[in-house]
Amino acid sequence: PGLVRADEYDAISQLPLVQQTLEKMETANIVFTTVSEITPDISDIEVILRRVKIGTSPQIHKYIQRIKPHQPVGLLAARPFNIKGEIFDDDHPVVKPPWRYVGFNVKRLRKLVRDRTGKVVVVTGAESSRVQPLIGLLNGELVSTLVTDSVTAEQILQSSL
């Protein structure tokens, strides 16, 4: 997945290689991905957005202010999400960013998990900081198979009780 300016999205998504890749993603029945945690003050989102030079400083700041009340806990393919599994990408009705994501469709991931027509496999390392993001993915029905260590798995189970 990539982040692109909204005014570049149509041109980029029409490139033959990008189009072919997106078409293959739409028919995939197994998706491997990972998850990243977000610090409570969500300053790391701002750092990432500045690093990829997406949007202006005021746009980034405005997005951060809009997303903060929703308490994001993690990133799934550069898309912030909260403990409920609510994804804040270009399809979000309230916290819509001024840029677009090029990559897999989150609605399609949920459909694979809910309909049991495919697998969404999340692979993550042994870090307690990943527990909240993993719970968010599970709550949002965004993962069907989780690959992690026993300590992280135990923390997820204890947090869910």
Side-chain angles (χ1 to χ4, degrees), residues 58-127:
Q59 286 175 321
I60 292 170
H61 181 73
K62 186 176 179 181
Y63 177 69
I64 296 297
Q65 295 311 308
R66 282 196 323 239
I67 198 173
K68 228 176 211 180
H70 297 277
Q71 301 174 317
V73 295
L75 295 172
L76 176 65
R79 295 164 169 91
F81 64 91
N82 64 15
I83 196 73
K84 296 183 267 183
E86 183 179 21
I87 300 274
F88 306 108
D89 65 3
D90 25 337
D91 287 332
H92 195 277
V94 178
V95 189
K96 193 172 188 166
W99 47 82
R100 299 285 307 270
Y101 293 89
V102 178
F104 61 74
N105 181 305
V106 173
K107 289 177 185 170
R108 173 127 165 61
L109 290 184
R110 272 200 182 100
K111 186 169 175 35
L112 286 174
V113 174
R114 286 181 180 156
D115 297 350
R116 300 179 192 266
T117 55
K119 298 277 183 208
V120 179
V121 181
V122 173
V123 182
T124 187
E127 295 180 42

Side-chain angles (χ1 to χ4, degrees), residues 3-10 12 53-55 98-100:
L3 297 170
V4 297
R5 291 193 332 246
D7 61 333
E8 297 174 334
Y9 179 80
D10 289 336
I12 289 172
K53 297 179 180 158
I54 196 78
W99 47 82
R100 299 285 307 270

